[in-house]
Amino acid sequence: GNGGAKFIYVTVSGGGCGICERAQISPNPATNELDITFSSRETGKTLTEPAFEEAREYVITDFEGNVVYRYQSNQTKLKLDISSIKRNGVYVLNIRHGSLGTDRYRLIIER
């Protein structure tokens, strides 16, 4: 077994992960692609290392909470192809930083 260790995942609305790198998302409003880079929460400088130790999960949901897009990557700079999302509108981009927490960003898709 795992020695009786218990892992509790807490979903935080609003604040998210207070120690995780901050994501820059552009363009927003988006059309078919989304560029995401990360910067240090302490210094504000863009991360230069190419990868995180732990993969991040990118989940886009509509306002009813339906998952319309899901992707996983450990890259610190990435381009997401969101052309599969058919409807224009306001979405929520959830970036899950492994076990550290989830940050939420408002995302608008306009084509």
Side-chain angles (χ1 to χ4, degrees):
N2 62 0
K6 285 192 168 76
F7 296 94
I8 300 170
Y9 292 91
V10 180
T11 303
V12 183
S13 59
C17 178
I19 59 168
C20 298
E21 298 79 6
R22 193 171 273 124
Q24 279 84 42
I25 299 154
S26 66
N28 194 2
T31 52
N32 293 315
E33 289 185 334
L34 211 50
D35 288 306
I36 300 178
T37 57
F38 288 90
S39 63
S40 164
R41 210 171 269 266
E42 290 157 19
T43 66
K45 290 193 172 125
T46 301
L47 300 186
T48 53
E49 64 269 17
F52 293 113
E53 285 182 26
E54 196 174 1
R56 292 342 192 213
E57 187 175 31
Y58 302 86
V59 178
I60 298 176
T61 58
D62 62 20
F63 265 89
E64 285 85 50
N66 302 307
V67 173
V68 296
Y69 180 88
R70 185 185 298 268
Y71 185 74
Q72 231 175 5
S73 172
N74 69 342
Q75 299 301 300
T76 60
K77 186 176 184 177
L78 61 157
K79 188 181 288 282
L80 302 181
D81 176 1
I82 57 168
S83 60
S84 61
I85 301 172
K86 297 299 177 209
R87 283 196 344 228
N88 288 352
V90 180
Y91 293 85
V92 178
L93 168 61
N94 301 278
I95 300 177
R96 192 164 67 85
H97 301 272
S99 57
L100 297 174
T102 301
D103 284 326
R104 289 179 176 74
Y105 299 87
R106 191 166 172 254
L107 173 65
I108 298 166
I109 295 178
E110 278 180 10
R111 296 194 178 98

